[in-house]
Amino acid sequence: MNLELHRSIYPGFFMNINTERLLSYLNELSQKGKISGLQGIYRLAFSEGDLAGRAFFKEKINAAGLSEFTDGCGNIHAFYNPDKLDLPEVIIGSHIDSVPAAGHLDGSLGVMAGLECLISLKEQGLKPERPIRLIAFSDEEGRFGGTLGSMAIAGDLTPEMIESSKDLNGISLKQAMQAAGLNAKDCLQCRIHPDKIHCFLELHIEQGPVLDQLKIPIGIVEGIAGIMKWNVRFIGVSNHAGTTPMNLRQDAFLALSEFSLNIKKILDQSGSERSVATIGKVQLSPGTANTIPETASFSLDFRDTDPEILSALQKEFRKELSRIARENRIMFEFDVLSSIEPAKCDPDVISVIEETVKERNLNYKKMMSGAVHDTQVMAHITRTGMIFVPSCGGRSHSTAEWTHPEDLEAGANVLLHAILKLSGVKHD
Ligand code: HGY
Ligand code: MN
Ligand code: MN
């Protein structure tokens, strides 16, 4: 390949991110949200850990001399726009909130690599033909449903959602945001008009086994699975564990166990090979060994890349809950915590990523994402693309989360060069 030719294609072609700086940012951020005596990171949205992560990110933005602001939903925005252009922007982003006992890369990689890209552009004095904005979105992980911040930017939130949103422990979004110095109602004022956006790009770890098993360093995401997240309750009758004959019981936990055993059958009958369902949290009350549980409340997270399959699974799960409730002479109810439809990434953005990966002589695989991402919400208002890097052993949402530094570096450089192309960096 004639490198001179490339030099003429776009300035910055020979540019790379500062890998040491990226790794040190990731390492510093991974210290925010640590709880002594516990493994992993605890940056649940709007918690103390999350606020520490936010403060760290803002400090790095300001230290780099980039302009920054926090919107009404707590999304943190950083800008690179040396010529103060008022043109549709290239937006990059991800999240720094985490699940409990999280690893150090889920979301954090996209935000820290985005920051590293903006700093590198500034250091090189490169002039994009469009503004570039980096956003760390609030509550991607779903303490209050999921992708709250990107839904605010996309204008997908409603006053009812803000009013009714509660976490699995019954804490309301309003309370949690108030404790973080924010007013939940302001989430409704954060929309960015689609005309103001050229495209959106996110770098993220795969969180699955595909790239790692195939030893391929880059994934180019073609589509992202949709998710339904319910909080379900079976409500039976508490009674004495010793004196109540088995055939007279209305045992909420037995109903839950029958439901959980039937999930696989429902997926086989009504799902696709991409369908998944998980019961991740269970709470029994009154919760003593010698009392038949009155209430079994549990989370149900189910996903598929096809919206029709997702709605078929919704129907089947409801039918199954009601059959089991009837047969056990108990009641059931459920709240929909979140419902995010599947999304496709934009072919043009995909081809810019693909061109970038080929230029950098990297092996890659086009693939679907089983995890939910802010990208699929940003797809409601603009063209999107996602870059994956391998997760060792496919592990994520776990302290075992790991990606080799050379893969982090490769992914961040693909992000940088895709930004250079999409923002039309020109000669001085
Ligand atoms: O649950 C997910 O897919 C994402 O990690 N929030
Ligand atoms: Mn994530
Ligand atoms: Mn996650």
Side-chain angles (χ1 to χ4, degrees):
M1 173 178 304
N2 169 350
L3 287 183
E4 274 320 303
L5 173 72
H6 262 279
R7 199 188 286 277
S8 66
I9 286 186
Y10 62 92
F13 175 76
F14 293 95
M15 196 176 148
N16 284 312
I17 56 128
N18 177 328
T19 306
E20 282 59 50
R21 184 165 54 198
L22 170 60
L23 295 178
S24 80
Y25 284 171
L26 285 169
N27 184 40
E28 283 183 73
L29 178 56
S30 70
Q31 305 310 313
K32 312 297 178 193
K34 288 278 195 186
I35 298 179
S36 67
L38 292 179
Q39 294 289 320
I41 293 167
Y42 292 75
R43 293 204 296 264
L44 213 56
F46 308 115
S47 68
E48 229 175 278
D50 184 26
L51 298 184
R54 290 162 173 275
F56 167 77
F57 179 40
K58 287 184 194 174
E59 179 216 308
K60 291 300 173 196
I61 297 171
N62 294 313
L66 297 163
S67 56
E68 169 259 319
F69 92 98
T70 300
D71 68 20
C73 191
N75 297 314
I76 302 170
H77 305 240
F79 293 90
Y80 183 66
N81 185 12
D83 292 342
K84 305 266 175 292
L85 304 166
D86 182 15
L87 284 168
E89 303 173 1
V90 171
I91 301 183
I92 58 179
S94 198
H95 61 95
I96 52 177
D97 69 296
S98 80
V99 293
H104 67 301
L105 292 170
D106 177 358
S108 304
L109 173 60
V111 177
M112 292 299 110
L115 177 62
E116 171 49 36
C117 290
L118 297 195
I119 294 174
S120 296
L121 280 165
K122 189 165 189 291
E123 282 174 342
Q124 302 285 330
L126 289 178
K127 307 267 185 159
E129 285 179 345
R130 8 180 116 263
I132 302 167
R133 182 192 305 230
L134 165 64
I135 305 178
F137 295 106
S138 291
D139 191 22
E140 186 280 341
E141 288 295 0
R143 177 182 177 187
F144 296 101
T147 65
L148 176 81
S150 45
M151 287 175 78
I153 297 284
D156 290 352
L157 295 175
T158 64
E160 297 68 34
M161 289 159 92
I162 301 294
E163 269 315 305
S164 63
S165 202
K166 281 191 170 44
D167 68 12
L168 287 175
N169 298 323
I171 297 173
S172 75
L173 173 65
K174 287 162 69 176
Q175 286 166 309
M177 287 189 74
Q178 195 179 18
L182 295 159
N183 176 349
K185 286 206 181 74
D186 294 343
C187 291
L188 300 168
Q189 316 302 331
C190 305
R191 183 170 187 261
I192 298 180
H193 193 284
D195 294 351
K196 285 215 31 101
I197 310 174
H198 182 61
C199 65
F200 175 80
L201 209 46
E202 180 171 11
L203 169 67
H204 205 286
I205 51 173
E206 179 201 335
Q207 298 183 290
V210 172
L211 296 174
D212 185 45
Q213 278 172 0
L214 296 173
K215 300 271 167 276
I216 293 179
I218 298 284
I220 302 181
V221 177
E222 295 185 295
I224 307 171
I227 183 176
M228 294 294 289
K229 208 187 284 186
W230 292 353
N231 190 9
V232 189
R233 285 170 300 288
F234 277 121
I235 303 152
V237 175
S238 66
N239 216 328
H240 194 289
T243 56
T244 316
M246 292 309 281
N247 65 334
L248 297 183
R249 295 182 176 209
Q250 292 159 276
D251 183 333
F253 177 68
L254 283 190
L256 163 55
S257 14
E258 185 180 348
F259 177 77
S260 66
L261 288 175
N262 291 346
I263 285 179
K264 177 114 182 33
K265 187 183 68 180
I266 292 174
L267 295 186
D268 292 345
Q269 286 169 353
S270 312
S272 75
E273 75 289 347
R274 286 190 203 282
S275 301
V276 288
T278 313
I279 294 178
K281 177 167 186 164
V282 175
Q283 241 162 340
L284 299 179
S285 83
T288 55
N290 58 355
T291 307
I292 300 166
E294 176 177 16
T295 311
S297 39
F298 57 99
S299 61
L300 178 62
D301 166 320
F302 54 103
R303 310 179 189 212
D304 196 279
T305 50
D306 177 338
E308 322 262 281
I309 298 275
L310 259 185
S311 54
L313 289 175
Q314 260 193 91
K315 275 193 208 91
E316 291 309 315
F317 282 132
R318 283 182 76 142
K319 256 166 53 189
E320 183 65 356
L321 290 168
S322 113
R323 179 191 67 78
I324 291 173
R326 220 176 22 259
E327 288 177 9
N328 287 273
R329 293 172 296 115
I330 63 176
M331 292 192 305
F332 86 96
E333 54 189 28
F334 71 94
D335 307 316
V336 176
L337 293 180
S338 85
S339 149
I340 304 169
E341 66 269 16
K344 293 237 180 299
C345 291
D346 178 82
D348 296 341
V349 179
I350 288 173
S351 59
V352 168
I353 299 170
E354 189 171 17
E355 188 189 298
T356 305
V357 174
K358 283 181 180 166
E359 271 173 8
R360 305 188 69 76
N361 300 318
L362 289 166
N363 196 356
Y364 66 96
K365 175 179 176 53
K366 290 187 176 179
M367 60 195 292
M368 300 300 280
S369 169
V372 158
H373 295 288
D374 292 304
T375 297
Q376 74 200 91
V377 175
M378 292 301 283
H380 299 167
I381 53 171
T382 191
R383 304 178 305 164
T384 63
M386 262 201 107
I387 304 155
F388 272 174
V389 291
S391 293
C392 294
R395 300 293 303 275
S396 182
H397 284 189
S398 142
T399 52
E401 194 173 270
W402 180 255
T403 298
H404 297 304
E406 57 274 23
D407 290 335
L408 296 175
E409 178 180 51
N413 276 318
V414 168
L415 177 69
L416 174 67
H417 285 269
I419 294 170
L420 290 176
K421 290 172 190 274
L422 291 163
S423 64
V425 167
K426 60 183 186 304
H427 290 279
D428 290 346

